[in-house]
Amino acid sequence: MLICTVSGKGGTGKSTVSSGLAIAAANMGKKVLLIDLDASLRCLDIIFGIDDKIVFDLSDAIIEGNIKKAIYPAALYDNIFIVPAPAEGGIDFDKLKNLLAAVKLDFDFIILDFPAGADFGNYAVFSAAQFIVVSGADSVSVRDAGVISGGIKTNAPPRLIINRFDIDMIKGGMYKNIDGIIDASSTRLLGIVPADGELLTLSVNHSLKPRGRAAKAFTRIIKRVSGEDVRLPKLKKI
Ligand SMILES: Nc1ncnc2c1ncn2[C@@H]1O[C@H](COP(=O)(O)OP(=O)(O)O)[C@@H](O)[C@H]1O
Ligand SMILES: [Mg+2]
């Protein structure tokens, strides 16, 4: 299955969500390829503890027509493999799509971690993918998520992940409630990820505690994306 994580604004948590979903899938025994598309701001290599191992990146893979050259195993997970983003320069998305065809059958999930920005032309290349729009719960982020999902024309409609959720912010009236967020973004909810210090330090620890709040949230999401009917827990338990 091909998953694309996107958002209009930067810093909504696309790379964190991509990494968390990869970890959840790996914990379920699935094999995951995680491709960093944020050319100048690559981070998945640091998150997964392999930044000192990288010789080739996605631009080398595209130039040579061979993605296997730029696939690196994560430091702490046997089933997660990373393709680092080019240190500089753009990405030819049509060529990337062709490269993916060669490894499609080797992985249960291929996750494309996009840079911020409404690159609808690039999104359209992956019309068979499940797009995930990552949003904060604040109204600016939610409106942005609505604009992005409205412009994505894929076979399956894009789904929403609300990231950095904190029940106290809803109670305090700073954020809208969950229904309000879904209405304002007109996007079907896929899941909610808590604001969690463990995610802030992912690039230090390179792993998540399998029974922690964050890992549980990502496990629910990866199950839903695979077609399982997993209920949202009570908001205070997220
Ligand atoms: N749910 C979360 N809880 C705590 N910190 C988070 C969470 N999601 C993201 N962050 C932090 O926010 C920052 C931006 O996240 P990142 O995933 O890099 O965003 P993006 O890829 O959308 O630019 C990072 O420092 C990350 O650790
Ligand atoms: Mg990112």
Side-chain angles (χ1 to χ4, degrees):
M1 174 175 222
L2 181 61
I3 294 176
C4 297
T5 48
V6 299
S7 73
K9 277 165 61 66
T12 58
K14 295 172 294 300
S15 300
T16 304
V17 165
S18 301
S19 304
L21 293 178
I23 291 173
N27 286 342
M28 290 162 68
K30 306 290 185 194
K31 202 172 162 193
V32 187
L33 182 63
L34 204 45
I35 304 184
D36 194 336
L37 300 180
D38 206 343
S40 47
L41 297 168
R42 73 182 185 193
C43 67
L44 296 181
D45 53 334
I46 298 178
I47 288 181
F48 284 97
I50 54 162
D51 49 312
D52 57 347
K53 303 221 161 44
I54 287 166
V55 182
F56 301 109
D57 62 33
L58 183 58
S59 62
D60 301 299
I62 288 176
I63 289 167
E64 298 193 18
N66 176 12
I67 196 161
K68 289 186 180 162
K69 204 173 171 167
I71 294 180
Y72 296 86
L76 302 179
Y77 290 94
D78 292 341
N79 287 353
I80 299 180
F81 297 82
I82 317 289
V83 177
E88 53 187 22
I91 294 168
D92 183 326
F93 283 83
D94 289 305
K95 287 191 178 156
L96 171 62
K97 186 186 180 186
N98 291 337
L99 289 187
L100 292 185
V103 289
K104 200 163 93 178
L105 298 177
D106 298 339
F107 296 94
D108 298 295
F109 292 95
I110 297 180
I111 302 176
L112 302 186
D113 179 24
F114 272 80
D119 297 323
F120 295 122
N122 294 337
Y123 302 162
V125 173
F126 303 101
S127 57
Q130 175 62 61
F131 273 72
I132 295 178
V133 181
V134 180
S135 175
D138 61 289
S139 43
V140 174
S141 188
V142 170
R143 182 170 65 189
D144 179 81
V147 171
I148 296 298
S149 58
I152 296 174
K153 308 292 178 212
T154 40
N155 304 346
R159 305 278 303 265
L160 177 70
I161 288 185
I162 298 167
N163 185 32
R164 283 204 197 84
F165 178 76
D166 181 349
I167 186 74
D168 288 338
M169 290 173 176
I170 284 201
K171 280 188 195 150
M174 186 199 282
Y175 286 167
K176 300 177 180 194
N177 62 23
I178 295 297
D179 290 338
I181 291 171
I182 297 167
D183 288 349
S185 67
S186 354
T187 312
R188 214 174 128 211
L189 184 67
L190 177 62
I192 303 179
V193 176
D196 192 325
E198 216 198 340
L199 291 173
L200 210 52
T201 51
L202 194 52
S203 53
V204 179
N205 298 323
H206 316 304
S207 66
L208 292 176
K209 292 195 290 286
R211 294 184 181 282
R213 278 191 323 154
K216 282 186 181 161
F218 288 120
T219 302
R220 286 193 294 271
I221 293 170
I222 209 79
K223 284 184 176 172
R224 280 188 206 115
V225 115
S226 312
E228 268 186 63
D229 187 14
V230 185
R231 292 192 157 213
L232 208 59
K234 288 203 169 73
L235 289 184
K236 62 175 188 246
K237 296 212 163 151
I238 286 175

